[in-house]
Amino acid sequence: MTRLKLAASLLALLTAAPALAQTTSPAVSVAGATAPTAQGGANAVALLRDPTHPAKSVIAVNAKLGGLEFYGLDGQRITAVPGGEIYAVDTREDGPRALVVALDRQAGRLRLFARDYASGAIAAVDARPLQLGYSGEGVCLHRSGRDGALYAFALGGEGQLDQWLLYPTADGKLDGRVVRRLHLSSEAKFCVADDASGALYVAQEAVGVWRYDADPEADPVPTIVDINRLGHLAGEVAGLALINGGKGADYLIAANAEAGDYNVYDRSAGDRFIGAFKVETNGAPAIQEPSGLFGVRAPIGERLPAGGLLIADDRNVGANSKILSWADIAASMKLALGQDTPSVEPSKVALVQATMETQPVAHDGDAADDPAIWVHPTTPAKSAVIATDKKGGMLVYDLSGKQLQYLPDGKMNNVDLRDGFKLGGKAVTLIAASDRTHKAIALYTIDPETRLLTSVADGVQASGLSDPYGLCMHRDRKGDMSVFVSDPDGLVRQYSLTATANGKVRAKAVRDLKFDTQTEGCVADDETGALYIAEEDVALWKLGADARSGPARKAIARVADNPALKDDLEGVGLYIQPKGKGYLILSSQGNNTYAVFRREGDNAYVGSFAVTANGDTDVDGISETDGLDVSSASLGAGLEMGAFVAQDGRNISPPEAQNFKLVPWSKISAKLGLP
């Protein structure tokens, strides 16, 4: 988080209301309690709600060295499951069963259990020990509303915040992989995630409560919800819970232990603090040591028609869990109850998985940028991905992702290629790249046998631009080639490419196009003569690619008008089919999706897809994409319909430098229902 964003968050928080200044908190009575745990200690609780028979729901309480204990809604112990030193617990529905994750501090691992709703049987379902590498402090689950993937967030005493993807194995168990690693500045014990919105809340002991995006491919920038001492928290938070009754009745609850209160925040109003309540019996605190919360906004039997709030009471003697009626809490604070388990509109984004990823580029940070697919003239499986490292040079990868070549020729930003360029008496594939080091156009050919690049520029081909940025190539119907190069000031310049007598290539400026703001991604349709340019914050434009076409343009899609698009608009690719048909693919970087438009007619919007993590192969998803390319040519077995390749701006699993990932077009076509 930048200092500017942090300062803005703190200012908004501190000006929202005076620190810790509020009227007396209303008191709420306990509606029920579990029996004390067998071996003492209770610092986490979760409700395994039976969706068919809510009155048969059970409560899971961690009993530390006693493992997990299960209780009925009447508070009586049903059974216990050994599991080391259980220190945190969370649960999610999973068809006919409830899945439970528990943090075993003794073994430094996550344990996974399932309870069958019908039989009540409980079994371990972890396919192998999921070792954290540290003892751990807390855990919470999240099921993605976009793709249904199940994640576990594990918290550590030194600020660790690891996101695990939990995925099914062939034998019906669950395995896991770390797909994102964040790091807080100090210890955190409690977290809670909202499946509907994808918000993750984390209580950092020495600071306060933060909100993150739970999507592993999202920008890992936290937003502060409340802060210790300066906000509405008297000290460290002793538990977090969510009560989601839909818009206008969606709340975050934080145990403000040192003040003896439970703070309530309105999630429908940007997590605004709206008050607090106490839990008392005959005027005295009913809970001595709150140490974990769990909220449910759905009926749980006759006594809890609007759901409830469970609080683990880790008192020295008689540690147990208390049950509060959410209807009672809402009435005491004059809060809207909302609706039972509000429905969530399913995502319309098609989801696919990458089957290949390249070796990471050699430079850290924002380095990998743009790929181009080169199709081998006789052996499709020997095709290659040519790509840029904008901190160093040019790269060539085979279709397994292995790096074949690296040329440290300068800060190369974008790359494109065209077959059939006449050079030295034969037809070659000409490759062009925007060279930011020399403010020039780099030019190469590729050897079909070795798949290695050779520079063919007739000296430095100066662009005359302030910073050569975006780039794409065009071959007209006569076979003449040109290249378009943009700079960050909105200027796009077209250059003709011609061969010299000594077997080199020269570039000559022939047309200037001016846009109001920065452009980068572009692609030319050689068959139709159309040029598509993405103005990052504005629109995808269609122009004429011929140098004599002039500046006339038409907006194919505007960021402001298409809810599927979120700036920046970045890479653009063209999937070519016969008779002028096919698809345009556009990187919608702001929401980590790719918008698909028809190639023909008015370029109608077809739909969007996203690339998500593949737990079986350990290939993570793609996010924050700059450049992309797509080809309809066969690239060998499994890629008969071509492929989509994109830069991954956050190569998170494992955390490495950026790279490029490949998705068979057949998978995209099937998910979007494309002919």
Side-chain angles (χ1 to χ4, degrees), residues 20 205 207-208 227-229 232-237 255-259:
L20 298 176
E205 186 173 283
V207 182
I227 193 167
N228 292 352
R229 297 182 298 106
H232 303 94
L233 297 171
E236 68 177 85
V237 174
N256 189 12
E258 291 188 26

Side-chain angles (χ1 to χ4, degrees), residues 477 525 527-528 575-583 598-601 632:
R477 293 180 179 178
D525 188 334
E527 183 179 326
T528 66
Y575 185 86
I576 299 173
Q577 292 177 313
K579 300 180 180 180
K581 295 191 175 182
Y583 303 97
R598 295 197 184 280
R599 179 189 179 206
E600 67 272 17
S632 58

Side-chain angles (χ1 to χ4, degrees), residues 133-136 154-162 182-184 186-188:
Y134 47 90
S135 62
L155 305 174
E158 296 182 1
Q160 297 96 335
L161 175 51
D162 291 345
L182 306 175
H183 201 89
L184 307 175
S186 59
E187 181 181 10

Side-chain angles (χ1 to χ4, degrees), residues 183-201:
H183 201 89
L184 307 175
S185 59
S186 59
E187 181 181 10
K189 288 185 178 180
F190 301 102
C191 63
V192 65
D194 179 33
D195 298 347
S197 67
L200 168 71
Y201 295 90

Side-chain angles (χ1 to χ4, degrees), residues 358-369:
T358 67
Q359 293 175 237
V361 299
H363 295 92
D364 291 331
D366 188 18
D369 198 274

